[in-house]
Amino acid sequence: MANLRRPSTSCQMYRPSLTDDDDNQVNNNGKNSLSRSYTFDGIQSLKQQPRVTKPSQVSPPVADQQQQQRLGRSLLSNDNWRQETMTDVRLNSKVIDQSDQNILFGKGIDPLPHVREMLNELSNAEAFLYARQCRVVVAKLRLCWTDVNEEIKSLLKHKEYTEAAIEHIRKDLIINKESFNIRKKPKREAEPDGVDDILAAEKYHLTNIKKILELTCKNVVDHMQKLDEVRQRVTKIGKERSLVTELICQCLTSASRTFELARIEKLDNVQHRRPPITAPPRPSSAFGFRSFRSTNNNLRTGSSNSNSYNTSNKAESTLLDENGLPLIGHLLAFTPDVIQVFQDAAKLIEESREIKKQTINQIKDAFNDAKAYSLTVNQSIAQKLADIITLAQHLTISLGENMLAQNRAYRWYDLTMSAQRSNAGPLGSSYLKTSERLDRPIIRTFQRHPGNQVPEAQMNAKATRNLQQSANETDKQMKTLKIVGQRLQTNLIDKEIALNIDSYLLRRRRERSDHKWGVTKYVHV
């Protein structure tokens, strides 16, 4: 478009003679004194209109001729004076034409009289559009803040779950330590057995589970701190973006819903326009924004009021490009900081969901493993109890048989001693039950003949000695049976003590397996 300039108003410009034809007036360059107007269409060219002077009173032709004669003569006046006067007249005509030309140009290029009101409307419309756009950003930031805050609350619950699981594992460790302390058995039963090995294995596995849960709890706390930092950033950016939304309605839910509808509509239009190719689809992420070159957002004063701002267009749709992606720029509603905090929040929320899944899985595994270890220990203790009961039953039977054997030995000893005493003879003549003596009358009568001797005395002496030896042997057997019986009795007592200890331990473990008891001490492992 040509650069429109106003004509110069210098008084030294060339002015044609007054007697020349106005239609044939040209300037020094051979061009018309009035140029073409580039403002209004349909005008081919503008010619200088002859100035219409106010007609004077009609004078008679004689007076006109006399005046011309008087002007034509130079005898009555000075020539210089006459020339200066005519120069001033010509200069006045020229200035008048230039003024008319300036007015004509002004009608085409000068601002309208109501330019101030029009600029006010344009500025207000631009400010209102930007405020509505920022309101959409504030609504998105508020939703992002809500999502991050809900994620923090969810992580806080998982942290409580993890701490509860750690507390249960600590209680299991306390039960394990108490199990070691309770199994203080007699010396005969103090030798380490399979239950002690299983208790040691349970302590080892519970310690590893506790360390894993503590590390998980630390990761949850660290991620909560990261989410809190992002939440503070969202709050700060939201306050900064909301500085220009004080004079409009703060209906953030409606603004966000309208923005999403506009985005979905543009995405549908893009899908309809897209040809059917095998290109990978664009990820439909709420934070999948791409940046582009920032455009100037100045006032468009060169356009008409109807073309500069259309009130029917939604401000939410102006935040999106033709592909349905937000427009990003340092001077736009969506700044790079806003997009970055959206991306960071989305990333941390995804990581938080993974951490929560891992935490729940680890808690479940910890409970299952701890329950399995406790069940294994309880089954081992129960098996140990069954073995103790079986051995105690065998000991009881053996002890009973030992007592019967001792009684039989006692009876046999008494019989042997009675027979030995009987064979040894009477202790005195007053003993009425004494059998006949060796020198009884029949034997003395038999021995009157020489050589008539009977071996009764020798055989009685030998029988007496044999009976005494049998009694001594029986006495030794009785002592042995007594010693063995005492050992059986002691062993049975130890078995009963071990049975009571393991029974109390099993009962104690089953009572405290529900973990519904307060921790009175901390187990350092």
Side-chain angles (χ1 to χ4, degrees):
M1 187 174 183
N3 189 10
L4 300 180
R5 296 179 59 189
R6 294 180 182 275
S8 177
T9 57
S10 176
C11 296
Q12 285 78 19
M13 290 184 64
Y14 173 79
R15 176 66 179 170
S17 175
L18 292 175
T19 59
D20 296 338
D21 190 2
D22 292 337
D23 294 336
N24 297 325
Q25 290 180 357
V26 295
N27 52 14
N28 293 330
N29 296 328
K31 297 180 180 180
N32 293 331
S33 60
L34 293 179
S35 62
R36 180 181 177 181
S37 174
Y38 293 96
T39 304
F40 302 99
D41 297 333
I43 301 177
Q44 299 294 334
S45 63
L46 294 176
K47 295 183 179 180
Q48 182 179 3
Q49 300 293 332
R51 178 174 296 279
V52 180
T53 58
K54 185 177 180 180
S56 59
Q57 295 181 358
V58 179
S59 59
V62 177
D64 191 5
Q65 294 177 1
Q66 293 178 357
Q67 183 178 5
Q68 290 180 359
Q69 292 177 1
R70 190 167 51 253
L71 291 174
R73 293 194 303 267
S74 60
L75 299 176
L76 299 179
S77 62
N78 191 0
D79 292 338
N80 294 332
W81 175 80
R82 183 176 179 275
Q83 291 177 0
E84 291 178 357
T85 301
M86 295 305 297
T87 301
D88 292 339
V89 171
R90 293 189 188 96
L91 181 61
N92 181 43
S93 176
K94 182 178 180 180
V95 169
I96 290 173
D97 291 340
Q98 291 178 353
S99 177
D100 294 339
Q101 184 180 2
N102 183 40
I103 292 173
L104 183 61
F105 270 85
K107 290 180 179 180
I109 66 175
D110 284 350
L112 297 176
H114 59 282
V115 65
R116 184 181 184 86
E117 289 77 7
M118 184 175 66
L119 290 176
N120 287 338
E121 292 179 1
L122 291 173
S123 300
N124 293 339
E126 190 71 21
F128 184 68
L129 175 64
Y130 184 74
R132 291 188 63 184
Q133 293 175 348
C134 289
R135 182 178 64 179
V136 174
V137 177
V138 172
K140 286 294 180 183
L141 289 171
R142 185 70 59 84
L143 292 176
C144 180
W145 185 92
T146 303
D147 294 339
V148 174
N149 192 59
E150 292 296 329
E151 198 65 28
I152 290 176
K153 291 193 294 184
S154 179
L155 276 180
L156 183 60
K157 291 183 179 179
H158 284 74
K159 174 178 172 291
E160 295 176 355
Y161 298 155
T162 308
E163 290 177 348
I166 293 174
E167 196 69 23
H168 290 174
I169 300 300
R170 288 175 179 172
K171 291 179 180 180
D172 289 333
L173 287 171
I174 292 175
I175 294 173
N176 182 271
K177 186 176 181 181
E178 289 181 354
S179 300
F180 273 110
N181 296 331
I182 289 174
R183 297 191 85 235
K184 299 297 183 182
K185 298 180 181 180
K187 187 178 293 185
R188 187 188 304 275
E189 303 292 332
E191 184 179 358
D193 52 6
V195 177
D196 293 329
D197 297 337
I198 293 176
L199 286 173
E202 182 191 26
K203 180 180 179 181
Y204 174 77
H205 290 295
L206 289 177
T207 304
N208 291 336
I209 291 174
K210 180 171 139 327
K211 291 180 180 179
I212 293 173
L213 290 178
E214 287 177 349
L215 181 61
T216 302
C217 186
K218 183 178 180 300
N219 293 335
V220 171
V221 173
D222 294 341
H223 201 74
M224 286 176 59
Q225 292 178 356
K226 293 180 182 178
L227 286 174
D228 183 65
E229 292 177 359
V230 171
R231 182 174 61 179
Q232 292 178 1
R233 286 175 55 194
V234 171
T235 303
K236 183 179 179 181
I237 295 175
K239 289 182 180 179
E240 186 271 330
R241 291 284 91 186
S242 63
L243 293 177
V244 295
T245 61
E246 296 179 355
L247 301 180
I248 63 174
C249 177
Q250 299 294 325
C251 187
L252 302 180
T253 305
S254 176
S256 177
R257 187 183 300 112
T258 306
F259 175 77
E260 291 298 329
L261 292 176
R263 188 174 68 89
I264 294 173
E265 182 179 358
K266 288 200 173 185
L267 289 177
D268 293 338
N269 295 334
V270 170
Q271 292 179 358
H272 289 306
R273 293 196 307 268
R274 183 179 301 170
I277 58 177
T278 59
R282 184 177 64 88
S284 59
S285 176
F287 303 97
F289 299 154
R290 64 177 180 88
S291 60
F292 71 106
R293 183 178 301 175
S294 176
T295 57
N296 293 327
N297 198 15
N298 299 327
L299 294 175
R300 297 177 292 274
T301 57
S303 302
S304 62
N305 189 18
S306 61
N307 295 327
S308 64
Y309 181 74
N310 188 0
T311 57
S312 62
N313 293 334
K314 296 180 180 179
E316 290 77 7
S317 61
T318 59
L319 291 171
L320 302 170
D321 58 4
E322 64 277 1
N323 295 325
L325 298 176
L327 302 176
I328 304 172
H330 292 283
L331 300 179
L332 300 180
F334 279 106
T335 60
D337 292 337
V338 175
I339 303 303
Q340 185 64 36
V341 76
F342 281 160
Q343 294 175 353
D344 294 343
K347 181 179 178 181
L348 290 177
I349 288 175
E350 291 296 329
E351 293 178 359
S352 174
R353 291 172 181 173
E354 293 296 329
I355 289 176
K356 288 190 295 184
K357 291 181 182 178
Q358 295 178 1
T359 302
I360 292 298
N361 293 332
Q362 289 178 356
I363 290 175
K364 291 181 179 179
D365 294 340
F367 277 123
N368 294 332
D369 294 343
K371 187 176 180 180
Y373 298 146
S374 178
L375 183 61
T376 302
V377 174
N378 293 342
Q379 290 177 354
S380 301
I381 296 175
Q383 183 66 33
K384 182 69 175 180
L385 289 175
D387 295 339
I388 293 175
I389 291 173
T390 302
L391 293 176
Q393 290 174 354
H394 287 294
L395 287 173
T396 303
I397 294 174
S398 298
L399 184 60
E401 293 176 352
N402 182 272
M403 293 300 295
L404 292 176
Q406 288 186 26
N407 293 331
R408 289 194 300 269
Y410 275 117
R411 289 194 298 268
W412 181 250
Y413 180 78
D414 292 339
L415 292 173
T416 304
M417 290 305 296
S418 298
Q420 191 270 343
R421 285 192 297 268
S422 300
N423 290 329
L427 298 178
S429 60
S430 60
Y431 191 68
L432 299 178
K433 294 182 178 181
T434 303
S435 60
E436 294 183 359
R437 297 177 295 178
L438 294 176
D439 57 348
R440 56 189 179 272
I442 189 172
I443 295 301
R444 285 183 300 183
T445 301
F446 176 71
Q447 290 179 351
R448 288 176 180 177
H449 293 152
N452 293 333
Q453 298 293 331
V454 291
E456 182 179 1
Q458 293 82 3
M459 295 181 67
N460 284 332
K462 186 178 180 180
T464 301
R465 289 193 302 270
N466 292 335
L467 289 173
Q468 185 64 40
Q469 291 178 0
S470 179
N472 293 336
E473 188 67 24
T474 303
D475 184 61
K476 291 180 181 179
Q477 294 295 329
M478 287 171 56
K479 290 180 180 179
T480 303
L481 287 173
K482 187 175 182 181
I483 293 173
V484 173
Q486 290 176 355
R487 290 186 61 182
L488 291 175
Q489 185 67 30
T490 305
N491 199 347
L492 182 60
I493 293 173
D494 293 341
K495 289 294 186 293
E496 291 178 354
I497 294 174
L499 180 64
N500 292 332
I501 290 174
D502 288 340
S503 298
Y504 172 75
L505 174 60
L506 182 60
R507 185 170 61 252
R508 181 73 171 174
R509 289 179 63 90
R510 288 176 176 174
E511 287 177 355
R512 297 165 72 87
S513 62
D514 57 354
H515 302 110
K516 294 181 180 179
W517 46 278
V519 179
T520 57
K521 55 186 175 180
Y522 181 76
V523 180
H524 296 279
V525 292

